[in-house]
Amino acid sequence: MRAKRYGGDNAEERTERRRLALIDAALAVSAEESRKRLTVDRVCQRAKLSKRYFYESFADVDALTEAVFEHVAAGVIDALSTGDADHTDVAAFVHTTTGAFVHYLTDDPRRARALFGELLMTEASNTVRAWAMQRIAAQVIARAREVHHIEPTDPLITTTAAMLIGGAGQAIIGWLDGNISGGRDLLIDNLARLILITGNGAAATARTDAPQLQLPRRSKTRTDGGMFEADPIDVARDRYLRKGLGKPDLFLAMSSVLRLHRRMTADLDQALRPLKLTTTSYMLLITVRFSDDEAMSLVELSRALIVHPATVTLLVDQLEKLGLIERRPSPRDRRATLATLTDKGRTELSRATDALERLSFGLPGTDPAGAYEIVEALRTVRVAAGDTPDK
């Protein structure tokens, strides 16, 4: 039976339109009444919606506040992901992405004030704001890796990304408040110049420091006709013992898992990039596919993927824009929203899985027997860490 349509929208589209109206109303009320606490009544009055429509999408005001930051952060990430920039011309690339960043935040100044100003300042919102900034920083780091071809986990790069985002955000607030003179184009030019200088300097330093992490050099091992320096895990063992830090076994195991995870994620993300997916979004799609009716609530997905609910909402927003996921109300809980696969989602998931299979799912040189050993070796650790019931 086909869903009824009113005014050209079906039920899901109307629900989403009301959800976005409430998010916009929350921004509006906060901007106009910054010293007052956000309430359901004020938001519904501004959105011209009844309370039942509020609770259709949000459990409470904190959930709405979380959605506001998710929405703004998703917009920033989309702006930073602009595909018009030429990676071979670093200066042009930085200027294009900086321009997209500034335009998104200043086209509606409430967005900038929510992320970098004093809108929605509550204890709960501060946590979500910090999460949103981390997501934006991760996108900046990913773009830096594309341009500078550097290791994204370098602490200097992470620190630089956080500094650039925070500094640019405060400059935008200063410009909006009239404390920085000049037009928006001049603001973009100046920010892009500073970001270029700082980013180039950090990348150069990271490249210079990187070889030092391989010291001291040990005997070289020949593999596939090439010369490789000592395994970094062996180097870490020597350093750990030399510094008198105790037994290195567990530290080395942790380091091995983390290094493999970083390289695996980078390789998988690169393979999925042509499909506009990431490792996390792929896992969300296949997790929904695994479910009996190919529909899961956002809460269930958060638990299954072991990620923050805000991250799941952001991922679903992105996948929905790509036409791979649809939202629909839960028939069992009117407050819950289900994520379901579309026909296009199934097709793209199949293509993504084929691409990862060709990459051995990020485990090159591993045969089925070796894969089984990895699963079993990690099972004990996962159970002890509470990842799965110990049965």
Side-chain angles (χ1 to χ4, degrees), residues 223-244:
T223 307
D224 296 333
M227 298 299 292
F228 288 84
E229 296 180 358
D231 188 310
I233 297 300
D234 291 336
V235 174
R237 179 188 291 109
D238 287 348
R239 291 288 182 91
Y240 202 96
L241 292 171
R242 187 182 301 175
K243 297 293 184 179

Side-chain angles (χ1 to χ4, degrees), residues 163-242:
M163 182 185 72
L164 290 176
I165 295 166
Q170 290 307 310
I172 290 171
I173 294 295
W175 181 78
L176 290 171
D177 289 342
N179 297 323
I180 296 179
S181 61
R184 185 162 64 173
D185 288 343
L186 179 60
L187 175 67
I188 293 171
D189 290 343
N190 288 337
L191 283 176
R193 189 177 296 114
L194 290 171
I195 290 170
L196 181 65
I197 293 170
T198 306
N200 284 344
T205 302
R207 292 193 195 96
T208 301
D209 291 348
Q212 298 174 7
L213 298 177
Q214 302 296 328
L215 298 176
R217 295 186 179 183
R218 300 181 64 186
S219 60
K220 295 182 178 181
T221 304
R222 192 171 185 85
T223 307
D224 296 333
M227 298 299 292
F228 288 84
E229 296 180 358
D231 188 310
I233 297 300
D234 291 336
V235 174
R237 179 188 291 109
D238 287 348
R239 291 288 182 91
Y240 202 96
L241 292 171
R242 187 182 301 175

Side-chain angles (χ1 to χ4, degrees), residues 13 40 66 69 86 98 167 171-172 194 206 256 270 285 287 306 319 336 352 371 387:
E13 292 167 340
V40 174
E66 184 174 301
F69 284 106
D86 178 9
T98 301
I172 290 171
L194 290 171
S256 297
Q270 183 175 1
L285 288 173
T287 300
I306 320 178
L319 293 171
D387 184 34

Side-chain angles (χ1 to χ4, degrees), residues 65-343:
T65 302
E66 184 174 301
V68 170
F69 284 106
E70 292 167 3
H71 181 74
V72 175
V76 171
I77 290 170
D78 284 346
L80 293 173
S81 302
T82 177
D84 297 334
D86 178 9
H87 290 193
T88 62
D89 186 340
V90 177
F93 175 87
V94 170
H95 195 278
T96 299
T97 51
T98 301
F101 177 75
V102 172
H103 274 279
Y104 175 77
L105 290 174
T106 57
D107 283 347
D108 183 347
R110 299 174 305 177
R111 299 166 180 166
R113 297 191 188 283
L115 276 181
F116 302 105
E118 297 182 353
L119 288 194
L120 299 169
M121 293 292 287
T122 66
E123 184 176 347
S125 70
N126 288 338
T127 300
V128 185
R129 179 185 279 106
W131 168 86
M133 298 298 287
Q134 290 171 5
R135 292 288 300 169
I136 295 169
Q139 181 65 20
V140 170
I141 292 169
R143 302 317 298 268
R145 183 174 186 267
E146 296 172 8
V147 173
H148 294 291
H149 309 290
I150 51 178
E151 174 57 53
T153 55
D154 189 301
L156 177 62
I157 302 303
T158 304
T159 303
T160 303
M163 182 185 72
L164 290 176
I165 295 166
Q170 290 307 310
I172 290 171
I173 294 295
W175 181 78
L176 290 171
D177 289 342
N179 297 323
I180 296 179
S181 61
R184 185 162 64 173
D185 288 343
L186 179 60
L187 175 67
I188 293 171
D189 290 343
N190 288 337
L191 283 176
R193 189 177 296 114
L194 290 171
I195 290 170
L196 181 65
I197 293 170
T198 306
N200 284 344
T205 302
R207 292 193 195 96
T208 301
D209 291 348
Q212 298 174 7
L213 298 177
Q214 302 296 328
L215 298 176
R217 295 186 179 183
R218 300 181 64 186
S219 60
K220 295 182 178 181
T221 304
R222 192 171 185 85
T223 307
D224 296 333
M227 298 299 292
F228 288 84
E229 296 180 358
D231 188 310
I233 297 300
D234 291 336
V235 174
R237 179 188 291 109
D238 287 348
R239 291 288 182 91
Y240 202 96
L241 292 171
R242 187 182 301 175
K243 297 293 184 179
L245 299 176
K247 295 182 179 180
D249 306 277
L250 290 175
F251 170 79
L252 297 176
M254 176 198 71
S255 298
S256 297
V257 172
L258 291 177
R259 288 182 65 86
L260 177 60
H261 174 264
R262 289 164 183 162
R263 293 194 174 277
M264 180 186 295
T265 302
D267 290 344
L268 297 181
D269 282 346
Q270 183 175 1
L272 293 169
R273 191 169 293 124
L275 300 174
K276 298 183 179 180
L277 296 175
T278 64
T279 304
T280 308
S281 59
Y282 169 79
M283 290 304 299
L284 188 149
L285 288 173
I286 203 163
T287 300
V288 174
R289 184 78 168 87
F290 287 160
S291 64
D292 292 336
D293 52 1
E294 296 189 1
M296 293 180 68
S297 73
L298 304 195
V299 173
E300 290 172 331
L301 283 169
S302 174
R303 293 170 180 164
L305 298 174
I306 320 178
V307 296
H308 193 280
T311 302
V312 170
T313 301
L314 179 60
L315 288 170
V316 171
D317 285 344
Q318 294 170 343
L319 293 171
E320 195 171 25
K321 289 180 182 178
L322 294 173
L324 309 184
I325 285 285
E326 287 182 346
R327 278 187 171 94
R328 63 178 173 83
S330 170
R332 298 182 297 274
D333 183 352
R334 67 182 180 86
R335 295 175 298 175
T337 299
L338 299 181
T340 64
L341 278 179
T342 63
D343 290 339

